[in-house]
Each structure stands twice: as structure tokens, then as C-alpha cells.
Amino acid sequence: AVTDSIYMGPWLADTIRQCDGLVDRMSYWTFSDVFEEQGVVKQPFYGGFGLIAAGGIPKSSYNAFKLLHRLGDERISVESNSVLVTRQKDGSLVVAAWNLVPPDETGPPKTIHLRFEHLAGSRRAYISRVDRDHGDVHPAYEKMGQPRYPTPEQLKALRQAAQLPPAEIRELTNGELTLDLAPDGLAVIEVK
């Protein structure tokens, strides 16, 4: 069966690298997997590039944009091709870090080490993730046998499985944070 990419492959990687905050509006055809030109959708996950699958099921790409919307307005320069650091108007920092794997490939988890300099006092990191275990509906869909036409109860369960879990809260140790990222994983870290 064709599955949908968690982050829509290279397009999203390029979007993250160039991001100075996200656009507020996206056209409907980008948002949904349902297009008039393709006829009736035969199953919820067929490889479409929209953010929401048939049946109103948020895909992990939707959750990725939801997290990236938390980024601040000011971008802070860092030497990394998989980390983006921003500052919000109140001075707090928001970091996006990812472990993108090319389409149709597998990859290992990645450990990142973040060091925040010039932070006064003790700080907490609020870590939100999108990966196979967080905000990704595919494991629940596979567990129910990948039904071609999910029942209303199954659609409700899939929409629930697609919800982002609460942020993990960790104390920074000497202004540092070490974090493991799953393959095709995204973490957005809010430092407060």
C-alpha cells in the first residue's frame, strides 16, 4: 500500500530551511487530499500530498505545520542544516529540529545536543514532537487493518490517534539539552 510521507519529503525540508515564520494561509488544494479532478477517493491514505486525508483525518504533515506555527518572528543564525532557532516577541526561544529521511529510504535515529548561551536563571524546555509515535495516524490505521472505507467509529478513532500529545517538559541542565529524534521526526522546543 502507498503511504503518505510524514513531511512530504524534500519540499518540507526546503521549507523548514528557508522558514522565517510560516504563511498564515494555504490554498484548499494543499490542505486537503480530496480533489474534484481525481474523482471519489477510494481510501484515506493513498499517497496524496494534502495535509488532511479523506474523512477529516489530520496527517502528520498537518501536525508538523501546527508545530512549526509556534516558531518566532525573528530567526537566529545557527550552523546546522537540521535545526532552526527563532525568537518570539517576548524574548523566548523556539527551536525546530528534524531528522528527515529521503522518500522510500530508512534511516537511523539522531541525537542532537543544543546549547543555549546567555540564558539567565533556570529554564524549561517544552518539547513537542511529530514522528511515528507522536501525532502520526499511520500506526493506528495499520493496526485496524488499513480499511479501505473506515466506519464512522474507525474515522473517529483515527482522528483521535492523529492528535498531538502534550509537550514533554524538561529542565535545561547548564543551558543544555540533549534530544533523540526518530527517523522522519520533527521536534519543536519552546524554551521558557
Side-chain angles (χ1 to χ4, degrees):
V2 176
T3 59
D4 298 285
S5 169
I6 288 182
Y7 300 119
M8 297 180 288
W11 175 84
L12 187 56
D14 188 55
T15 300
I16 292 172
R17 281 189 205 95
Q18 296 178 24
C19 177
D20 285 326
L22 292 177
V23 294
D24 291 327
R25 295 181 301 240
M26 289 177 271
S27 63
Y28 178 79
W29 64 267
T30 304
F31 198 66
S32 171
D33 268 356
V34 180
F35 303 93
E36 179 181 309
E37 294 85 3
Q38 72 189 22
V40 177
V41 174
K42 306 264 192 291
Q43 62 190 59
F45 303 103
Y46 64 90
F49 59 86
L51 302 178
I52 296 182
I57 304 166
K59 293 174 10 181
S60 31
S61 52
Y62 175 89
N63 284 330
F65 274 106
K66 190 173 181 179
L67 290 184
L68 291 171
H69 189 68
R70 298 177 185 175
L71 291 170
D73 296 327
E74 178 188 352
R75 185 172 179 174
I76 298 171
S77 180
V78 294
E79 303 264 337
S80 175
N81 62 3
S82 60
V83 173
L84 177 70
V85 181
T86 66
R87 185 184 333 268
Q88 294 180 325
K89 286 184 169 87
D90 67 1
S92 61
L93 299 176
V94 182
V95 178
W98 57 91
N99 180 12
L100 189 66
V101 177
D104 301 321
E105 292 184 24
T106 58
K110 176 166 77 172
T111 300
I112 62 165
H113 183 77
L114 302 172
R115 187 176 71 234
F116 300 92
E117 297 178 355
H118 311 295
L119 290 181
S122 63
R123 299 289 179 110
R124 288 187 173 155
Y126 296 79
I127 305 162
S128 299
R129 300 173 185 264
V130 176
D131 56 35
R132 185 120 174 114
D133 297 324
H134 305 87
D136 184 358
V137 70
H138 286 95
Y141 182 62
E142 291 163 4
K143 187 175 181 180
M144 64 176 57
Q146 300 180 342
R148 205 170 160 93
Y149 301 104
T151 66
E153 293 80 21
Q154 288 173 320
L155 286 173
K156 183 178 178 183
L158 290 171
R159 286 191 291 269
Q160 182 63 36
Q163 297 302 307
L164 286 168
E168 172 190 356
I169 303 171
R170 290 178 38 195
E171 299 288 333
L172 294 183
T173 305
N174 299 320
E176 298 183 9
L177 177 69
T178 299
L179 186 59
D180 292 325
L181 294 173
D184 271 337
L186 167 71
V188 171
I189 304 109
E190 298 173 84
V191 179
K192 299 180 181 183

